[in-house]
């Protein structure tokens, strides 16, 4: 990776740390848009030896990255509470 890429954010973004909730892993996967952050999270779970994934993306945008991350996790928990394993169907 070149010096400029390192300085200006080139390359892959680091994987967010998962939050474990009721056997699911929630990854806040924020989307930067015009200086704001779109609510987005990835829900994963291993089912019968296979890793399943579901994306939660909303129209909501926030000025603060921390706020967007917190609300993304809360929204993913709500989806898990409402749908459980059906989110992978």
């Amino acid at each position: 990776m070149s010096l400029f890429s390192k300085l200006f954010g080139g390359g892959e973004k680091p994987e967010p740390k998962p939050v474990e909730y009721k056997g699911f892993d929630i990854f806040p996967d924020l989307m930067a848009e015009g200086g704001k952050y779109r609510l987005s999270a990835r829900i994963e779970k291993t089912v019968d030896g296979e890793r399943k994934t579901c994306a939660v993306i909303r129209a909501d945008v926030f000025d603060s990255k921390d706020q967007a991350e917190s609300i993304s996790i809360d929204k993913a928990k709500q989806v898990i509470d409402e749908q459980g394993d059906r989110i992978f169907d």
Side-chain angles (χ1 to χ4, degrees):
M1 180 180 290
S2 74
L3 175 62
F4 289 110
S5 293
K6 290 179 184 176
L7 290 173
F8 299 107
E12 296 180 28
K13 66 180 182 177
E15 179 73 14
K17 292 185 179 184
V19 173
E20 196 279 326
Y21 183 72
K22 295 185 176 180
F24 294 82
D25 292 321
I26 301 170
F27 296 85
D29 244 356
L30 306 181
M31 304 165 82
E33 288 189 15
K36 296 186 184 226
Y37 298 91
R38 180 170 303 281
L39 187 154
S40 180
R42 188 173 75 245
I43 302 170
E44 295 186 1
K45 183 177 182 181
T46 302
V47 180
D48 297 328
E50 182 181 348
R51 193 71 173 168
K52 303 280 190 168
T53 302
C54 175
V56 176
I57 302 171
R58 300 276 306 215
D60 309 285
V61 292
F62 303 91
D63 294 326
S64 160
K65 184 176 182 178
D66 290 337
Q67 183 183 25
E69 185 173 295
S70 175
I71 294 174
S72 293
I73 292 168
D74 289 344
K75 180 54 72 175
K77 287 179 178 180
Q78 180 183 356
V79 169
I80 291 167
D81 288 341
E82 291 174 355
Q83 298 183 31
D85 286 340
R86 291 188 320 248
I87 63 175
F88 303 122
D89 291 342

